[in-house]
Amino acid sequence: MYPSVITKQPRSDIMTYQTDCTLPDSLLEQIAEQGLGILPELVRIVVNTAMQAEREAYLGAAAYERTDSRRGHANGYKPKTVTTRVGSVTFDVPQVREGGFYPEALERGLRTERALMITLAEMYVQGVSTRKVAAITEQLCGTAISSAQVSRATALLDEELSAWRNRPLGACPFLFLDARYEKVRQSGQVRDAAVLLAVGVNDQGKREVLGVSVSLGEHEVHWRTFLKGLQGRGLSGVELVISDDHRGLKAARQAVLGGLPWQRCQFHLQQNAQAYVPRQSLKAEVAADIRAIFNVPDRPAAEALLAQTVTKYAATAPRLADWMEANIPEGLTVFAWPAHPRRLLRTVNGLERLNREIRRRTRVAVLFPNEAACLRLATAIVMEVSEEWQTGRVYLRPSGE
């Protein structure tokens, strides 16, 4: 009698995977063998491929392609070792014989990461960080950080960021100004440092970050110095300034920019009005009334509706009525522009991407050891976003097209 044959049935709970992977079989075998240990090699392959594609796009020709429209010629590769979160990776940086090319695929993002690592490292070296921040520093940098290493890395990065902050500017019809605050240690105390931001829309309708500044000093002096710096670098052709009513900005704006039209942010005006509403049950109605003023087709209609609204609240909410009569007109300047650009010019909400990125990064840093550390990280972040804007779609055509 033969032993019975036992047939092993396939398990129904085993997960199945797609097999249409484009990675080479040899690399897949390495991943299976090494697991997460292969991550540096994967990063190297992906970035190298992206850089090679970027060079082909720059040259206007693929490798070995003969065409009269090419802008130059490939000239091999140079190795560059970069410390990343998955360890040190040596990339093959494509070269162009005629020069003038450097792949953004490698540099974009690394600048912000370097700034974040240096900021955390400064906190660690100066002894102002918590255990949590020290752990993050070691995790990001991958090794112990000495004061000498921090000084060398800081000097190199600061030189690059300073050059960008002081680059020449040109004509920008629309100038957006905003401010946020970060915690900075000074003389053993934790203080709020103002981070000033200036964003312009140039003649091509592209947004770009014109400047960033950090200071613990007096608000008006800080704003005035910041605005004079923009002018000194060549900012010209401004037709409209858009901002909230930040402390010190009004006096500084009038002193430096003179009689340029100013559009007060309509979104913040609606928020500010809530402080003058006497009852919670009235807040939604007040917000709707203010929105109605901003959404009419022209300024005469807005002024007429504002007068009606002030009369409406004169008896039941006199402080609100007085505030609306004095402040709402500052949000009506934008009616001098056509309806299409008006939608993007009536608030500073377009700067939210910048503030969101800064907030996301500084949340990790928690507390900056000094103003320079805060400025370093803020500059690296806004520089990166500005580069994306410059290579992206048109934001707003000054002509309103």
Side-chain angles (χ1 to χ4, degrees):
M1 179 181 289
Y2 296 99
S4 59
V5 178
I6 300 176
T7 303
K8 188 175 182 180
Q9 299 295 327
R11 288 173 52 187
S12 61
D13 60 341
I14 296 179
M15 295 180 66
T16 59
Y17 297 90
Q18 298 290 339
T19 58
D20 56 347
C21 180
T22 57
L23 292 175
D25 291 341
S26 58
L27 187 56
L28 291 174
E29 291 176 3
Q30 284 183 277
I31 295 174
E33 292 176 1
Q34 301 179 34
L36 295 179
I38 195 63
L39 279 178
E41 178 65 9
L42 287 175
V43 171
R44 187 188 70 82
I45 291 173
V46 170
V47 175
N48 280 350
T49 302
M51 290 191 294
Q52 188 169 342
E54 193 175 344
R55 179 173 66 177
E56 290 181 0
Y58 174 83
L59 295 176
Y64 308 110
E65 180 183 357
R66 295 182 181 275
T67 173
D68 295 334
S69 62
R70 67 162 56 246
R71 297 176 54 190
H73 300 81
N75 191 32
Y77 304 85
K78 283 187 179 180
K80 179 174 183 177
T81 302
V82 177
T83 300
T84 72
R85 299 194 187 195
V86 296
S88 293
V89 181
T90 300
F91 298 101
D92 298 322
V93 184
Q95 305 295 303
V96 171
R97 185 184 305 167
E98 293 78 10
F101 168 78
Y102 195 84
E104 290 293 326
L106 182 60
E107 280 301 307
R108 184 167 292 171
L110 290 180
R111 188 185 301 113
T112 296
E113 291 301 316
R114 291 202 305 269
L116 176 60
M117 291 163 60
I118 289 171
T119 299
L120 294 175
E122 274 192 324
M123 298 171 69
Y124 181 81
V125 170
Q126 296 185 19
V128 299
S129 60
T130 62
R131 290 183 179 180
K132 178 181 178 182
V133 174
I136 294 174
T137 304
E138 186 173 354
Q139 181 180 1
L140 289 178
C141 299
T143 183
I145 302 298
S146 69
S147 57
Q149 288 174 313
V150 170
S151 297
R152 285 195 297 271
T154 299
L156 291 173
L157 183 60
D158 282 351
E159 182 178 350
E160 178 184 357
L161 298 180
S162 177
W164 183 82
R165 283 196 305 271
N166 293 287
R167 73 195 189 282
L169 301 176
C172 283
F174 303 118
L175 175 63
F176 294 83
L177 301 173
D178 200 9
R180 58 176 291 105
Y181 295 87
E182 299 294 343
K183 299 294 184 182
V184 172
R185 185 180 293 273
Q186 184 188 53
S187 303
Q189 296 182 336
V190 177
R191 297 182 55 190
D192 288 326
V195 181
L196 307 188
L197 297 168
V199 171
V201 178
N202 59 29
D203 287 332
Q204 291 74 46
K206 296 288 190 74
R207 283 183 297 175
E208 64 174 309
V209 180
L210 304 176
V212 57
S213 178
V214 174
S215 177
L216 291 164
E218 184 182 345
H219 293 85
E220 182 182 340
V221 174
H222 189 191
W223 273 114
R224 186 177 301 187
T225 303
F226 183 55
L227 294 176
K228 284 184 176 179
L230 296 177
Q231 283 189 332
R233 290 163 51 206
L235 176 64
S236 61
V238 178
E239 300 174 6
L240 179 66
V241 179
I242 307 98
S243 75
D244 190 18
D245 190 25
H246 295 289
R247 283 184 294 172
L249 175 56
K250 184 175 182 178
R253 176 175 51 79
Q254 292 174 340
V256 179
L257 301 178
L260 284 177
W262 174 52
Q263 167 65 26
R264 183 170 172 182
C265 176
Q266 292 183 356
F267 175 77
H268 287 100
L269 270 172
Q270 292 190 68
Q271 289 187 321
N272 298 153
Q274 298 302 311
Y276 298 89
V277 180
R279 300 188 306 277
Q280 180 70 30
S281 59
L282 201 59
K283 289 191 173 184
E285 182 180 350
V286 170
D289 286 340
I290 294 177
R291 280 197 302 273
I293 296 171
F294 292 150
N295 289 334
V296 296
D298 53 49
R299 179 153 190 160
E303 291 174 341
L305 186 55
L306 172 60
Q308 295 176 22
T309 307
V310 169
T311 302
K312 172 183 176 180
Y313 292 110
T316 58
R319 289 182 65 245
L320 172 64
D322 291 342
W323 180 90
M324 293 177 68
E325 189 173 24
N327 290 271
I328 294 297
E330 295 176 340
L332 306 182
T333 308
V334 74
F335 279 109
W337 275 262
H340 172 68
R342 190 189 308 162
R343 178 177 58 85
L344 298 173
L345 296 175
R346 61 183 187 174
T347 72
V348 294
N349 291 354
L351 275 64
E352 180 56 30
R353 164 76 192 284
L354 282 180
N355 284 318
R356 186 167 61 248
E357 284 297 310
I358 294 174
R359 185 164 55 247
R360 183 172 68 87
R361 300 285 186 168
T362 55
R363 188 184 296 120
V364 180
V366 183
L367 171 67
F368 290 95
N370 49 53
E371 293 175 56
C374 184
L375 178 61
R376 181 176 305 118
L377 182 57
T379 304
I381 295 168
V382 301
M383 183 176 177
E384 189 173 306
V385 173
S386 185
E387 288 173 351
E388 292 179 7
W389 283 347
Q390 286 293 288
T391 57
R393 65 179 179 83
V394 170
Y395 177 73
L396 172 68
R397 297 194 183 279
S399 61
E401 297 176 4

